[in-house]
Amino acid sequence: MEPNLGTIARSISIRPNREETGLESLQFREEIHRLMIVPPENGSSFTALLELPETQAMELLHSPHSDKGVTVPLSGVPLHGINDDHKSYLPSFNGNLTFPSNKVLIERAAKFSVFASGEHSPETSSVPSDSSANLEKVKSEPADTDSNPNSSQLLVSDPTVNIKNQRSEKRKEREKKGKGCTKKTKIEISQDAEKLPYVHVRARRGQATDSHSLAERARREKINARMKLLQELVPGCSKISGTALVLDEIINHVQSLQRQVELLSMRLASVNPRIDFNLDSLFAPESGSLVDSNFSSMVSPLLWPEIPFNGNRQQHQQQWNFDALHRPLWGREEDSHTFITMENSLLSYDSANSASLHSNQLKMEL
Amino acid sequence: MISKGATRNSNSRRIKFARRFVSALLHMRNQNPRPGSLSIEGSVRTRSQRIKIAAYLSMAQAVGSRRAWSRAVLSKLGSRARRHMRRMGRSSLGSLKKKRVIRSYSPGELGQAKKLRQLVPGGETMDICSLLEETAHYITCLATQVKVMQTLADNFSK
């Protein structure tokens, strides 16, 4: 599918370079109709469609009814009637057409087109949300949107406005190509910028190409890539558009996770003093999720207590002296060994009657 | 997409965290007889505070020193910090922080960036770019922490 889409874009782009005529715009509009109408009928006829614009454009213009099963309203339709059909086909276009979500095409569309501005929001609203998200990403360069007032959503737009779009787009294409020879070239898509080891820069019209703005642009691309990652991490964030709301969502997520940790620690604190805390019951149900072979092998020797009772008592007293502060000891790496021996002693208590043991320890302390 | 390497990493991280945390809990159990003087509710509160600290500390240790946030947690809750606290009191930690003027390089993000810095440990002295990266890693680690603690709590309360 991808090479065909490339040919679509190329075929559309080749056109604008010729002289502008009313006929040209009509042909262009016809092509757009073909693109929009045929896919809902049959996906495979799409590739056939690609050949049509280049070779049989004139034919199509005079006999709009194609042999691909285009619906009747289109055949022999006058130009002004196209507007209504356009609108009726837009929803189906959204549903069945998949190539707007194709990133390659979006890249090319972004290259040829300029950013969507507010005045074309009615058209952009009908664009599939995926492509709009991608175009928005390109759009997010703050300084750029102001300089480019026209949008050219090549595939979906009102035909009357489309003519304007085509003309401005053709102009910009030519200018850009003129500029492109002299300036450095840059691929304006963030995903490419992330993949390449170094970045070629093509300046858009009216943009500075000095090192500062380039560096800023690279920085922005980096930040946008990280934001995208975060959006994927946080559930329910991919629908939200706009950095501010996404950041709010991320902050909420982090806060909720921290609150969950607090609640769970309270639960564990209330559960912990339970005297029959038995490691056997702990590890058996958790074998699927938490315990690997090492873990269980570490624990199982602990279940065989061999340490005399008095020695344990002394160890405990030392522990209490250390723990004058409300901080756990396990911050020190070197103490890990003592913990394992501690666990030995703890589990030896387990097998015995730990309630009596605790009361004994209390007496000792007092 | 989650590659195979990422899942292996996350699994080993989860297991390391679980190991340390459970050992910490066992150690904690040892101190039960102590709060004979405190009320029951007070003891639960202090214990839950300790458990929370244990959880964050175990997670930071499981991650290691690779990440800025884990280094910040370890320095905040580590043994050196405890010795500092013992000798000099809480005010010393404030002076230990680096004094750095925080500039937000991307406009319009000031409020959220500040909040995020306060949430993510060690986030005060980072620029937005690395802050976002650390946040992503921090979120994954928090999620595993919550999962492990959840399973533990469920098993204990059975």
Side-chain angles (χ1 to χ4, degrees), chain A residues 125-159:
Chain A
S125 63
S126 61
V127 175
S129 60
D130 200 356
S131 70
S132 69
N134 279 329
L135 286 167
E136 256 185 48
K137 215 173 37 161
V138 177
K139 197 181 1 172
S140 67
E141 325 276 353
D144 304 345
T145 53
D146 300 331
S147 58
N148 298 307
N150 291 321
S151 81
S152 58
Q153 306 284 345
L154 292 174
L155 309 165
V156 181
S157 50
D158 219 340

Side-chain angles (χ1 to χ4, degrees), chain A residues 226 277 286 316 323 327, chain B residues 29-31 82 129 155:
Chain A
R226 303 254 160 91
F277 166 14
E286 282 179 325
H316 282 304
D323 245 11
R327 295 282 188 202
Chain B
R29 247 201 88 233
N30 179 33
Q31 301 173 12
R82 271 187 288 119
C129 202
N155 283 327

Side-chain angles (χ1 to χ4, degrees), chain A residues 330-359:
Chain A
W330 47 83
R332 299 183 206 155
E333 285 298 334
E334 58 267 20
D335 284 345
S336 56
H337 299 297
T338 59
F339 289 138
I340 297 181
T341 57
M342 281 302 306
E343 287 157 26
N344 277 331
S345 57
L346 282 169
L347 290 161
S348 69
Y349 288 154
D350 246 350
S351 51
N353 188 356
S354 28
S356 59
L357 286 172
H358 283 150
S359 59

Side-chain angles (χ1 to χ4, degrees), chain B residues 137-149:
Chain B
H137 194 260
Y138 186 59
I139 287 178
T140 48
C141 293
L142 268 184
T144 55
Q145 196 174 328
V146 163
K147 262 186 243 167
V148 169
M149 289 174 81

